[in-house]
């Protein structure tokens, strides 16, 4: 892994990583579920749930950021294959976001109903699978395997931290956002994130195909 530092490359890659991770986490899409699950909770309890959920998201993403590539190497999965698979998965999630079904690939209405009265909603269903679901995990692993520069590798971790902070502030403002934006406003934001994420997922697929078929795709 190289250690050369390019300021423009570092900041552009950091921005790309933040957009990618935050878009797939999509806390705006989780607002209706969070409001529904916590409607009978006090403000103090809601803040506690949000903090715990953010910690869980950070822990999950950091784990797969650090060890995801190793796990896939153990199973003999090629980096190019991982990028293509991650891109396909992200494209499915992003298409659902564009068409207004952000959680179709993550959880069902029956699961949400079953979990509503459980104590640990900070972990399930908020942290897993609504926020840090398979798409978010695939994004982090794909980003981490796509770089060979130590500074760019660190940029991904920085992006995870920034994205988790952003998730926290979105959820902490969920009552206001739900009231002033409404379902339509939240739906528009979620769809815009879906379009951005779809473009990023296509780029992941292209990069993966270039690794798998270097002689054909130059």
């Amino acid at each position: 892994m190289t250690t050369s530092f390019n300021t423009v490359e570092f900041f552009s890659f950091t921005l790309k990583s933040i957009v990618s991770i935050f878009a797939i986490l999509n806390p705006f899409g989780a607002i209706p579920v969070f409001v529904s699950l916590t409607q009978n909770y006090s403000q103090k309890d809601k803040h506690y749930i949000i903090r715990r959920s953010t910690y869980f998201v950070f822990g999950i993403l950091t784990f797969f950021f650090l060890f995801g590539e190793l796990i896939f190497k153990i199973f003999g999965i090629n980096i190019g294959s991982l990028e293509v698979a991650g891109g396909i998965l992200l494209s499915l999630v992003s298409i659902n976001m564009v068409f207004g079904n952000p959680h179709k690939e993550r959880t069902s209405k029956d699961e949400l109903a079953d979990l509503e009265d459980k104590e640990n909603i900070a972990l399930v269903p908020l942290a897993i699978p609504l926020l840090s679901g398979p798409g978010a995990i695939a994004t982090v692993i794909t980003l981490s395997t796509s770089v060979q520069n130590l500074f760019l590798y660190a940029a991904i971790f920085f992006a995870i931290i920034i994205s988790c902070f952003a998730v926290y502030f979105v959820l902490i403002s969920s009552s206001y956002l739900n009231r002033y934006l409404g379902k339509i406003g939240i739906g528009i934001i979620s769809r815009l994130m879906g379009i951005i994420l779809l473009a990023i997922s296509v780029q992941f697929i292209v990069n993966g195909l270039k690794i798998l078929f270097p002689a054909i795709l130059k």
Side-chain angles (χ1 to χ4, degrees):
M1 188 171 287
T2 63
T3 57
S4 58
F5 182 79
N6 182 302
T7 305
V8 175
E9 183 184 18
F10 175 80
F11 284 107
S12 62
F13 184 77
T14 300
L15 181 60
K16 173 191 172 183
S17 299
I18 292 172
V19 171
S20 301
I21 296 170
F22 182 73
I24 189 61
L25 290 176
N26 188 23
F28 294 100
I31 286 177
V33 177
F34 174 74
V35 171
S36 174
L37 292 176
T38 60
Q39 58 184 339
N40 296 321
Y41 285 70
S42 67
Q43 203 65 23
K44 183 179 179 181
D45 289 338
K46 288 180 182 179
H47 288 182
Y48 172 79
I49 291 171
I50 292 169
R51 285 197 304 273
R52 295 288 292 172
S53 184
T54 305
Y55 293 152
F56 286 135
V57 171
F58 175 75
I60 292 165
L61 295 186
T62 300
F63 174 81
F64 283 99
F65 165 67
L66 294 174
F67 303 109
E69 184 178 1
L70 175 62
I71 292 171
F72 281 94
K73 280 184 176 179
I74 291 173
F75 289 98
I77 299 174
N78 182 277
I79 292 176
S81 300
L82 177 60
E83 290 211 34
V84 172
I88 293 172
L89 179 58
L90 292 184
S91 65
L92 292 175
V93 174
S94 61
I95 289 170
N96 284 324
M97 289 168 65
V98 171
F99 287 100
N101 299 304
H103 307 306
K104 186 178 179 181
E105 301 296 327
R106 308 185 189 190
T107 189
S108 67
K109 290 181 180 179
D110 291 336
E111 288 173 326
L112 292 177
D114 290 340
L115 292 164
E116 187 166 356
D117 295 324
K118 291 191 176 180
E119 217 174 80
N120 205 15
I121 62 173
L123 178 59
V124 181
L126 288 178
I128 304 172
L130 291 182
L131 292 170
S132 53
I137 292 170
T139 299
V140 170
I141 296 175
T142 305
L143 284 170
S144 66
T145 55
S146 67
V147 297
Q148 296 298 321
N149 185 296
L150 184 62
F151 289 102
L152 297 184
Y153 194 75
I156 301 170
F157 182 65
F158 180 69
I160 291 174
I161 295 173
I162 296 297
S163 298
C164 287
F165 270 113
V167 167
Y168 173 82
F169 285 114
V170 169
L171 291 180
I172 212 75
S173 307
S174 58
S175 298
Y176 302 101
L177 293 173
N178 193 55
R179 186 183 309 135
Y180 292 111
L181 292 178
K183 289 185 177 180
I184 294 176
I186 291 173
I188 290 172
I189 294 174
S190 184
R191 283 172 170 82
L192 288 174
M193 286 188 170
I195 293 171
I196 294 171
L197 190 62
L198 182 58
I200 293 171
S201 67
V202 170
Q203 189 60 55
F204 279 163
I205 294 173
V206 171
N207 293 342
L209 290 174
K210 285 181 178 179
I211 295 173
L212 291 173
F213 306 104
I216 301 174
L217 301 172
K218 294 181 179 179

